[in-house]
């Protein structure tokens, strides 16, 4: 049984930092996987924030987070991280990680579409106060 478990959310003031973690069990990130962080604000659609294709240099960042967020993986811990710096009030949302076994072409073509993912975590809330 595959489980993705997010952690690291919380409340922070604008300009602060948080690091989100997505630990997997029953699933190995080190194989070819498309792994993404998504967020959903109140009354908003779920949007892709950052995506990696594991084992490759490919990554994607939403324009709104470029230069502030960084996605990374630790194969030894089977965990994907989202480092979030210079947080803004508009970053407030529920953050989810998602994964699907994938080819590079699939990941690059479809990874921003949340319906393309097979596994999801339960989410972790991030609140940024201005």
């Amino acid at each position: 049984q595959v489980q993705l478990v997010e952690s690291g959310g919380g409340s922070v003031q604008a300009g602060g930092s948080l690091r989100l973690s997505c630990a997997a069990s029953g699933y190995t990130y080190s194989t070819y996987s498309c792994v993404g962080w998504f967020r959903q604000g109140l009354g908003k659609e779920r949007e892709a924030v950052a995506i990696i294709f594991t084992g490759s240099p490919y990554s994607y960042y939403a324009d709104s987070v470029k230069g502030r967020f960084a996605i990374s993986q630790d194969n030894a811990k089977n965990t994907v991280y989202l480092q979030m710096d210079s947080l803004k009030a508009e970053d407030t949302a529920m953050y989810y990680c998602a994964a699907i076994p994938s080819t590079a072409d699939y990941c690059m073509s479809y990874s921003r579409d949340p319906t393309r993912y097979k596994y999801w975590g339960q989410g972790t809330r991030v609140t940024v106060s201005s």
Side-chain angles (χ1 to χ4, degrees):
Q1 182 180 357
V2 175
Q3 278 192 312
L4 304 182
V5 180
E6 301 98 332
S7 61
S11 296
V12 65
Q13 288 194 329
S17 298
L18 287 171
R19 189 177 78 157
L20 306 184
S21 300
C22 180
S25 60
Y27 185 84
T28 303
Y29 288 131
S30 59
T31 55
Y32 294 124
S33 294
C34 203
V35 185
W37 283 98
F38 291 78
R39 67 185 180 188
Q40 189 164 17
L42 194 62
K44 297 182 179 180
E45 292 187 352
R46 193 168 296 191
E47 63 171 347
V49 174
I51 295 160
I52 57 169
F53 179 65
T54 59
S56 84
Y58 170 73
S59 63
Y60 161 85
Y61 293 95
D63 287 344
S64 58
V65 306
K66 279 181 183 176
R68 300 189 298 121
F69 289 12
I71 188 171
S72 62
Q73 63 178 111
D74 184 330
N75 289 340
K77 296 182 178 180
N78 205 28
T79 299
V80 172
Y81 301 98
L82 183 68
Q83 178 67 41
M84 306 188 296
D85 298 321
S86 302
L87 282 161
K88 304 176 181 179
E90 50 263 44
D91 295 319
T92 295
M94 184 71 83
Y95 283 72
Y96 302 87
C97 67
I100 185 169
S102 172
T103 63
D105 286 345
Y106 183 95
C107 193
M108 286 186 279
S109 299
Y110 302 114
S111 58
R112 283 164 278 179
D113 179 356
T115 67
R116 299 286 184 165
Y117 289 80
K118 186 173 183 179
Y119 305 115
W120 286 88
Q122 82 289 348
T124 185
R125 184 168 297 280
V126 172
T127 303
V128 184
S129 57
S130 56

